Amino acid sequence: MVMLRIALIPFWLGVISSVALATERPLCFDFSKNSTRMLAPAPFSYPDTGRESRELGTDSKTGLDWGQVAGVVKLPIEKVNLKLLDQMTTRNPKTTTISTEALPLNGALTRTRVAIRVKPVFFITLEWEEEWAHTLLEGTVESPKEILISYQKTRGTSHIRHFCGNILLKSLNPTTTGVFLYEQIDADQRDPDEVADGLLGTLRTLRP
């Protein structure tokens, strides 16, 4: 269910919440303008209903862990997008609290700053901020055919040095949406399997 699942950080790293003002790696997206950047190629086709594709790895040049998942959700694209506009759809309400702020659209359908506070155990607190943009790629606002959702960490805990991803929604027919998720991360206690499993959990959470 949770898109970004933070593994238990060793005690000596996690007793005090660490808040850094800048990430150590460049951001993935420039949300000051209409961003349509895909971090990985979209699939030509989607697995049959009830099935999923799952790939993962570590980039040999950047060292970033990554995962990607594709599948079908038996809902119209508008309803899938609406679920993803709710930031708690992909987060664990037992350990996570958030606050959101609407940002200038700059060509996007919606653009949001999200402040996240995660407390996995009583002596550890992680805080960071993300920016999210939902952008129309094909169709109209009233009848979208393809929507690209992009997100990235912009500031906060040094335990997450880099974090960004895409979710591509493609209308396959009026009642079915193809969903492609890609994510890359550099974080403590995190590996490619966990990245891919988190995306798979998100896909399954979107299904009715």
Side-chain angles (χ1 to χ4, degrees):
M1 174 181 176
V2 181
M3 182 172 297
L4 177 57
R5 300 184 305 167
I6 301 299
L8 186 62
I9 294 170
F11 179 85
W12 61 276
L13 284 175
V15 173
I16 300 175
S17 173
S18 174
V19 179
L21 294 179
T23 55
E24 296 180 7
R25 295 176 182 265
L27 296 175
C28 292
F29 309 107
D30 179 5
F31 289 143
S32 68
K33 55 188 177 183
N34 189 23
S35 178
T36 59
R37 183 188 179 196
M38 287 283 296
L39 300 176
F44 291 106
S45 61
Y46 290 84
D48 294 336
T49 302
R51 296 179 178 270
E52 301 106 359
S53 66
R54 177 181 180 271
E55 298 178 48
L56 55 94
T58 300
D59 189 278
S60 59
K61 294 182 179 179
T62 65
L64 292 172
D65 294 326
W66 62 271
Q68 63 182 47
V69 167
V72 168
V73 175
K74 294 290 288 181
L75 288 172
I77 187 173
E78 297 92 338
K79 290 191 175 181
V80 180
N81 187 54
L82 189 61
K83 283 191 173 188
L84 289 166
L85 285 170
D86 178 359
Q87 285 288 325
M88 290 308 295
T89 295
T90 58
R91 306 181 195 274
N92 185 346
K94 295 181 180 178
T95 59
T96 307
T97 56
I98 66 168
S99 62
T100 61
E101 175 189 357
L103 297 175
L105 297 179
N106 298 338
L109 296 172
T110 62
R111 185 166 159 252
T112 309
R113 178 182 292 118
V114 187
I116 303 113
R117 187 174 190 269
V118 175
K119 196 172 182 63
V121 293
F122 76 94
F123 56 83
I124 296 176
T125 301
L126 301 175
E127 296 179 304
W128 71 95
E129 289 184 1
E130 297 171 5
E131 287 190 15
W132 286 64
H134 293 229
T135 302
L136 181 69
L137 296 186
E138 186 181 346
T140 64
V141 174
E142 296 76 18
S143 182
K145 300 298 182 185
E146 201 167 27
I147 295 172
L148 178 63
I149 302 166
S150 305
Y151 56 91
Q152 61 188 358
K153 178 208 168 192
T154 54
R155 66 187 302 273
T157 175
S158 60
H159 297 306
I160 307 169
R161 290 166 291 281
H162 177 87
F163 173 58
C164 56
N166 291 126
I167 305 173
L168 180 67
L169 308 180
K170 184 176 180 64
S171 178
L172 302 180
N173 60 53
T175 62
T176 307
T177 302
V179 180
F180 171 66
L181 307 98
Y182 173 89
E183 192 170 277
Q184 59 182 220
I185 192 169
D186 173 13
D188 296 339
Q189 305 296 305
R190 186 79 166 162
D191 63 35
D193 268 314
E194 291 174 311
V195 177
D197 285 347
L199 296 177
L200 192 59
T202 295
L203 175 62
R204 291 173 177 174
T205 297
L206 294 173
R207 288 174 171 158

